[in-house]
Amino acid sequence: MTDTIIVGAGAAGCTAAIFAARYGKSVLLFEPNEKIGRKLRITGKGRCNVTNNSPVEEHMKNIPVNNRFMYSAFSMFSAEDTMNFFEELGVPLKTERGNRVFPVSDKAEDIVGSLENELKKLDVKIIHKRVESLIIENGAVCGVKAQGREYKSSSVLIACGGKSYPLTGSTGDGYRLAESAGHTVTELKPSLVPIVSEDKFCAELMGLSLRNVTLKLYDGEKVIYSELGEMLFTHFGVSGPLVLSASSHIRNMQKNRFKFVIDLKPALSPEQLDARIQRDFAENLNRDFINGIRKLLPAKLIPVIVRLSGISPERKINSITKDERRKFGELIKNFPVRVSGFHPIDEAIITSGGISVREINPKTMESKLVKNLFFAGEVIDVDAYTGGFNLQIAFSTAYSAALYL
């Protein structure tokens, strides 16, 4: 018999285990992987964007679904608390562009290592087994079954992530366990995920990284996302920070409903860009169009944008009309990419959807349906944009649950 069982040794599970143990609880932490924090080790390209160094209001703004559910948890454990927590565990942190917080070492391993050391220090026992089912008696959870054996406890916390990156252990077990206890799981979709496009030129541009461009996402005629930053063309479509953030705004993916429009020169107004194009044209009057714009755009992009412009690549620059030049400038400011679908959920950074927040107490993270059953992290139907906001959800919900386990 133990005080509490925690299912999943990721960001939420480890944090909850540490605080529960600090509050004097005996803790069993179940993790089917050989190592804890598998997904944490690869977040932020292996650098681990721990949180976002901004006030609670900013975190709330960056959660497109069910943000009100998080208010109490953020009030109890903020981004500042997360930063203090890791610095006290011996990991110096730094704040970068967009208030993103990383370890000074740029190593996610340092974050995981600090959690591992603290769990050992607090004598939290890690059991490397997959939890198959919950033990529920008289409307209350009283343990779990793992690989045929029963483990009894006073409370159980489910913190085993979503369905994204299944190789890290996020296999959707949390949803299965919650449903077995009578909980509703909302539709699961990929979020913070690369986007598939039917445009053949994406494969042609594969590997091209665009920096300091503005990406707009249109739902029909309406702009639902616009941001300056970086993106990348891939063999199947587009990816990179801007695209991942934009993907979390797509709530009902339908073919031909959404499209991206890229401003390749956001620092220039249409008039300034036209003046720039005129200068380039003046220097290359007798050259072919395709050779006269080399200074304007990345080399890989030139054949594609020339084709989309409708101007023959061999056309002499001195024969290009004012109207054609203006339309070419408009294309540079409004480069279109069709959106045809999400890349598979296996490659999404997070899962959108999860255990319905209506069935969870927002202050304690306890189930409203089954006593002594708690939830934390990605398994709950709350997800945020990229920038450290999702990990903060994990840490805040874990801390809230730990107070009541």
Side-chain angles (χ1 to χ4, degrees):
M1 182 73 183
T2 189
D3 291 327
T4 190
I5 284 172
I6 295 175
V7 186
C14 289
T15 305
I18 286 167
F19 281 108
R22 284 180 180 178
Y23 297 136
K25 300 284 170 72
S26 57
V27 181
L28 285 185
L29 182 56
F30 281 82
E31 172 54 58
N33 287 317
E34 284 177 30
K35 292 181 175 180
I36 69 163
R38 281 283 294 276
K39 193 171 172 186
L40 259 180
R41 293 172 200 267
I42 60 171
T43 57
K45 294 179 183 171
R47 294 174 64 218
C48 195
N49 183 184
V50 183
T51 186
N52 193 281
N53 189 2
S54 54
V56 168
E57 293 71 29
E58 192 62 29
H59 283 258
M60 297 288 280
K61 272 189 221 164
N62 279 274
I63 301 172
V65 177
N66 297 326
N67 64 349
R68 286 171 63 192
F69 176 80
M70 287 303 303
Y71 193 78
S72 177
F74 282 158
S75 302
M76 286 196 279
F77 198 79
S78 65
E80 189 180 352
D81 293 318
T82 295
M83 292 167 73
N84 290 337
F85 173 61
F86 282 106
E87 296 209 308
E88 283 164 13
L89 291 183
V91 186
L93 302 173
K94 59 180 175 179
T95 302
E96 295 187 359
R97 187 170 57 86
N99 293 321
R100 289 167 161 85
V101 178
F102 294 91
V104 169
S105 65
D106 284 330
K107 290 178 183 170
E109 291 285 345
D110 290 355
I111 294 293
V112 179
S114 70
L115 294 171
E116 215 159 13
N117 292 339
E118 188 69 3
L119 289 167
K120 276 181 194 161
K121 200 160 83 179
L122 293 164
D123 206 26
V124 171
K125 191 175 179 190
I126 301 171
I127 299 174
H128 293 285
K129 289 182 180 180
R130 186 182 181 197
V131 170
E132 289 145 1
S133 59
L134 301 172
I135 303 169
I136 298 171
E137 292 172 6
N138 303 318
V141 73
C142 53
V144 301
K145 281 184 186 171
Q147 291 179 10
R149 184 179 162 189
E150 290 192 354
Y151 297 83
K152 291 296 184 83
S153 65
S154 303
S155 63
V156 173
L157 170 69
I158 294 175
C160 43
K163 280 195 83 170
S164 55
Y165 282 138
L167 293 176
T168 65
S170 298
T171 53
D173 277 3
Y175 307 127
R176 179 179 55 77
L177 294 171
E179 283 179 323
S180 74
H183 276 275
T184 306
V185 175
T186 64
E187 186 190 352
L188 304 175
K189 294 175 295 212
S191 189
L192 302 185
V193 65
I195 293 292
V196 177
S197 174
E198 287 178 345
D199 291 319
K200 299 281 192 288
F201 61 72
C202 290
E204 213 176 313
L205 296 173
M206 183 174 70
L208 174 65
S209 180
L210 298 176
R211 295 186 176 199
N212 298 318
V213 296
T214 297
L215 181 73
K216 287 181 182 173
L217 172 65
Y218 282 82
D219 181 352
E221 298 301 310
K222 186 183 174 190
V223 177
I224 57 170
Y225 171 84
S226 180
E227 193 67 60
L228 176 79
E230 295 177 32
M231 60 172 291
L232 172 76
F233 285 96
T234 68
H235 66 285
F236 56 79
V238 282
S239 187
L242 286 178
V243 173
L244 297 181
S245 289
S247 74
S248 58
H249 291 258
I250 301 174
R251 291 285 142 193
N252 184 15
M253 177 63 82
Q254 294 168 6
K255 203 173 172 185
N256 302 322
R257 176 177 169 178
F258 300 94
K259 71 172 178 181
F260 287 134
V261 173
I262 307 162
D263 184 346
L264 297 164
K265 296 286 180 186
L268 301 177
S269 69
E271 295 73 25
Q272 289 170 323
L273 177 60
D274 189 50
R276 164 71 201 273
I277 294 169
Q278 285 186 64
R279 283 201 306 275
D280 283 12
F281 278 15
E283 291 170 12
N284 297 280
L285 283 173
N286 297 312
R287 302 187 80 167
D288 293 348
F289 177 48
I290 197 164
N291 296 322
I293 53 171
R294 283 181 177 170
K295 291 181 183 174
L296 195 60
L297 297 161
K300 209 169 190 176
L301 188 57
I302 288 173
V304 171
I305 206 159
V306 165
R307 198 163 64 242
L308 292 177
S309 76
I311 302 169
S312 168
E314 289 83 31
R315 183 108 167 262
K316 296 299 178 193
I317 279 177
N318 59 22
S319 72
I320 293 173
T321 67
K322 181 180 177 182
D323 189 47
E324 286 172 325
R325 187 190 75 230
R326 286 239 166 104
K327 281 181 179 166
F328 177 59
E330 282 171 21
L331 179 60
I332 291 171
K333 297 287 286 179
N334 298 278
F335 185 85
V337 178
R338 287 181 295 174
V339 170
S340 61
F342 292 122
H343 215 42
I345 197 166
D346 292 6
E347 295 177 42
I349 292 176
I350 60 161
T351 307
S352 175
I355 299 158
S356 172
V357 296
R358 292 177 184 176
E359 299 165 359
I360 303 170
N361 182 321
K363 186 181 176 188
T364 65
M365 299 298 143
E366 186 176 9
S367 165
K368 291 179 179 179
L369 310 182
V370 177
K371 286 181 81 173
N372 305 327
L373 177 62
F374 295 79
F375 303 100
E378 196 181 339
V379 76
I380 301 170
D381 183 15
V382 182
D383 62 277
Y385 304 139
T386 186
F389 300 106
N390 284 291
L391 273 179
Q392 186 58 47
I393 290 170
F395 298 132
S396 295
T397 53
Y399 178 81
S400 297
L403 296 177
Y404 298 93
L405 285 171

